[in-house]
Amino acid sequence: NAGVTQTPKFQVLKTGQSMTLQCAQDMNHNSMYWYRQDPGMGLRLIYYSASEGTTDKGEVPNGYNVSRLNKREFSLRLESAAPSQTSVYFCASSAPGGTSGNYRGSTDTQYFGPGTRLTVL
Amino acid sequence: AQKITQTQPGMFVQEKEAVTLDCTYDTSDQSYGLFWYKQPSSGEMIFLIYQGSYDEQNATEGRYSLNFQKARKSANLVISASQLGDSAMYFCAMREGFYNQGGKLIFGQGTELSVKP
């Protein structure tokens, strides 16, 4: 199992450009999340999807949109990138109510992808 | 509002010694979960250990244990027998609500641990 995968790993954008960050998980998890991590800080939640077909705003949703394409995939879109969106973006997934795969951890542990390092010039 | 505080920006420990990383939290919920993650210099987030608010015993996972003091709202991570590979950033995080609700995580600012040979 690959766990949580993210593409791309690195991206440089100019101010005003748009892009979509892709995330997929193969753990049959119901919930998926997008976080951003700025230098010297912990992660902050941008958007999450508790289950297929639902999405909700997190702590810092401005400037982003999301799509839960199916149970496996959750994408994050920047419509008009700004330098303040320079950050490392992490996708995560979890299985509320218990794991449904063979991964260690119990209950609703969130497992993270490798991250996307985005620079907006 | 829920909040996680890690008061130690950086710590040093000698190889093979034990180290405690502090974490305090603030919540008005009775049901919540506490997590510790490790972030090495390569950048990935690695799950270490979990403690539920109703768990009566402190969680343990190999060399990691969580010193959970509910009344003091603290959830300190203890790493025994430190290894050079333990050098990393460590994050404490909290999820409010019961585990079947798909809870969001709130992270602390992290503690950078350096293990000296």
Side-chain angles (χ1 to χ4, degrees):
Chain A
N1 288 344
V4 181
T5 57
Q6 293 183 234
T7 56
K9 286 187 166 49
F10 301 94
Q11 185 71 49
V12 178
L13 292 178
K14 295 181 179 178
T15 297
Q17 287 185 318
S18 62
M19 79 161 296
T20 300
L21 282 65
Q22 306 286 355
C23 174
Q25 53 90 10
D26 62 3
M27 296 179 281
N28 201 31
H29 285 172
N30 293 324
S31 300
M32 298 185 73
Y33 312 82
W34 277 105
Y35 294 88
R36 62 177 285 174
Q37 183 180 27
D38 299 316
M41 296 183 66
L43 280 67
R44 291 183 294 169
L45 184 67
I46 305 171
Y47 270 93
Y48 70 104
S49 171
S51 61
E52 188 179 356
T54 68
T55 60
D56 284 287
K57 295 178 180 179
E59 183 184 354
V60 288
N62 290 346
Y64 305 95
N65 286 302
V66 290
S67 295
R68 184 74 183 266
L69 304 171
N70 47 56
K71 191 172 185 179
R72 290 187 62 249
E73 298 171 289
F74 189 40
S75 63
L76 178 73
R77 182 160 178 84
L78 287 70
E79 289 292 350
S80 179
S84 61
Q85 294 178 305
T86 293
S87 191
V88 180
Y89 291 84
F90 288 97
C91 177
S93 70
S94 70
T99 55
S100 54
N102 294 321
Y103 282 75
R104 69 178 179 93
S106 59
T107 66
D108 64 340
T109 298
Q110 293 186 22
Y111 294 94
F112 286 81
T116 294
R117 190 172 295 273
L118 175 66
T119 302
V120 183
L121 302 175
Chain B
Q2 54 179 309
K3 187 178 177 181
I4 292 283
T5 303
Q6 294 180 253
T7 57
Q8 306 153 312
M11 289 192 69
F12 291 91
V13 64
Q14 204 69 35
E15 193 179 7
K16 299 180 184 177
E17 292 186 349
V19 63
T20 298
L21 306 183
D22 294 342
C23 172
T24 58
Y25 60 92
D26 186 23
T27 179
S28 55
D29 267 22
Q30 296 301 308
S31 298
Y32 52 90
L34 297 155
F35 301 80
W36 278 92
Y37 286 86
K38 172 184 179 182
Q39 187 176 41
S41 57
S42 53
E44 69 266 36
M45 296 290 289
I46 301 168
F47 164 71
L48 295 178
I49 196 166
Y50 165 82
Q51 180 85 39
S53 59
Y54 293 114
D55 295 341
E56 295 181 350
Q57 299 214 347
N58 286 345
T60 61
E61 188 81 37
R63 293 187 299 112
Y64 305 108
S65 60
L66 200 153
N67 184 1
F68 180 47
Q69 299 188 38
K70 197 170 182 177
R72 297 181 61 186
K73 293 189 175 179
S74 73
N76 298 340
L77 177 70
V78 180
I79 305 175
S80 63
S82 297
Q83 301 172 355
L84 296 178
D86 293 335
S87 293
M89 185 73 84
Y90 289 81
F91 290 99
C92 180
M94 178 174 66
R95 179 260 298 132
E96 280 188 335
F98 202 52
Y99 67 83
N100 61 355
Q101 296 170 359
K104 304 162 281 186
L105 290 180
I106 299 294
F107 283 82
Q109 292 202 314
T111 295
E112 185 165 11
L113 177 66
S114 298
V115 180
K116 296 181 175 180

